[in-house]
Every structure is written in C-alpha cells, then in structure tokens.
Amino acid sequence: MKKLVLLSISFLISIHVMAQSLERMQWFNEPDNWDIVNNSLSMQVTPQSDYWRISHYGFTVDDAPFLYTTYGGEFEVKVKISGDYKARFDQSGLMLRIDHKNYIKAGIEYVDGKYNLSTVVTHKTSDWSVITLDKPIPFVWIKAIRRLDAVEVFYSFDDKEYTMMRNAWFQDNCPVMVGLMGACPDGKGFMAKFENFSVKHLPDLRRLKWLKENAE
C-alpha cells in the first residue's frame, strides 16, 4: 500500500513539473534570439534594455526580456543562472512582477568589472542593493520565497547552502508573474543561460492557521 501511495505522489509531482516547463511560459519583451533545450533557456539579451523606475537616475524603462508564468498565493522559485557578462550593468536572474510599478528582480549584475549579487525592489520607485563578489563565478543559484506580504531572496553556489540577500515587502493576495529575466542597459547584448527553473507551491500560512484553529 505504501508503495502505491509513493508511486502516486511521484506521478503527481512529475505532472506538476511538466506543467511548469519553460515551453509553456510566455514572453514579455521577447528577445530576437532564444532557445529552449532540455528545459534550459538560452537567450541573447536585448541591447539597451532594462527594468527601472525613476529613483536616482530619473528615468523609467520596462523593456528587457522576461519569460514568465503566473502564480497566486505563496511559493518558492529558484533557478541556476550563468552569463557571458561584458558591459556595465549586464544582468540576469529571477523576476517576480505584479505590474510595471511593482516588481523584484534578483541575480547577477556586472558592474565596473565585478560580479555582484544584485536585487532591485520596485514599488512606484526602484531601489538597488548589491553584494560584490571577490571573483567571477561560472554560475549561481537564486531562490525567492513569497510568504504572506514579503519575499525573501537567497543565493547559493551549490544549491545546498543558501544565504539570504534581501527581505522585501511585496503585496500579498494577488497574482504574480514569476520567471527569468535578462537586461543589458549599456551594452550590445550578451548570452544568458537559465537551468533547472522550478516553482513550488507553498500552503497559505493564514489558511493553515485557520484550519488548525477550527479543526473538527
């Protein structure tokens, strides 16, 4: 009986993973050149493209490539990213987006010859936080967890040990576009790669509390 239950669970998990395949996702600002092979995305990031709103620089841009799916409620998303970063502000990573005034993007950003773990949080205006790395890295894992009205962002070099890089407010109880973005504000474009993208549903904490308090 246990074996049957485990097999059923494995089957349901495999269906869930298939439903999240990159081929089923959609583009916002589709780049000219991209490819999906074995559920890994490679794309030539569009030159002179970015996501930013107003603060510090005084301009708003919303034109970089973003491949996404839509989720409601609470979830965990992660991906392995790498890129042939060349020009100032070349970047790739995860993005969680409610609309053009509310989004979080997190990943690697190349600035002044250095690799930075970068997070931009936008609520009407954008802010930017970085952790500068001592040396270039071949890849990094980025993970974001949406719980209630916050998103926690983590990084890892081995997909085992994760370190938090940001905790930010993010509107709860509304759908979120979740996916993979690259931007190239200053340069002529570069190749970015995204592997092992996954989104895992997390049970709503408020609902779990209610069920516990109202157990039969």
Side-chain angles (χ1 to χ4, degrees), residues 13-185:
I13 289 171
S14 68
I15 290 175
H16 188 56
V17 170
M18 286 174 62
Q20 295 175 13
S21 67
L22 297 178
E23 288 88 350
R24 293 173 179 264
M25 294 164 65
Q26 54 188 312
W27 282 106
F28 179 66
N29 301 319
E30 182 178 353
D32 290 338
N33 297 299
W34 59 274
D35 193 23
I36 294 174
V37 178
N38 296 326
N39 213 35
S40 293
L41 168 68
S42 298
M43 69 169 163
Q44 185 69 24
V45 179
T46 306
Q48 309 283 288
S49 67
D50 200 4
Y51 291 100
W52 186 265
R53 281 189 62 82
I54 305 168
S55 62
H56 188 71
Y57 303 106
F59 56 74
T60 295
V61 281
D62 200 55
D63 58 2
F66 176 40
L67 183 68
Y68 72 93
T69 184
T70 303
Y71 271 79
E74 301 180 6
F75 56 81
E76 175 186 302
V77 55
K78 68 177 181 177
V79 69
K80 179 184 177 184
I81 59 172
S82 55
D84 183 20
Y85 312 106
K86 297 174 182 175
R88 182 178 60 160
F89 304 135
D90 279 358
Q91 60 195 265
S92 64
L94 286 174
M95 186 153 78
L96 283 65
R97 177 182 170 101
I98 296 171
D99 56 31
H100 66 291
K101 292 183 179 180
N102 297 277
Y103 56 82
I104 296 173
K105 60 175 181 173
I108 287 289
E109 187 158 354
Y110 184 70
V111 186
D112 298 329
K114 293 205 176 270
Y115 284 57
N116 296 270
L117 295 161
S118 169
T119 310
V120 169
V121 177
T122 299
H123 300 304
K124 295 186 180 177
T125 59
S126 297
D127 70 38
W128 182 28
S129 58
V130 297
I131 301 170
T132 302
L133 300 177
D134 294 333
K135 57 185 179 181
I137 54 173
F139 57 82
V140 66
W141 289 83
I142 300 293
K143 178 170 72 175
I145 299 176
R146 185 194 193 195
R147 279 292 198 188
L148 302 176
D149 62 352
V151 168
E152 294 177 316
V153 183
F154 303 82
Y155 69 91
S156 174
F157 301 120
D158 58 10
D159 192 29
K160 293 175 184 175
E161 183 179 342
Y162 279 85
T163 302
M164 183 185 289
M165 54 193 282
R166 188 69 185 266
N167 183 323
W169 180 85
F170 205 60
Q171 179 65 55
D172 57 349
N173 296 317
C174 65
V176 177
M177 292 173 276
V178 185
L180 314 170
M181 62 75 57
C184 181

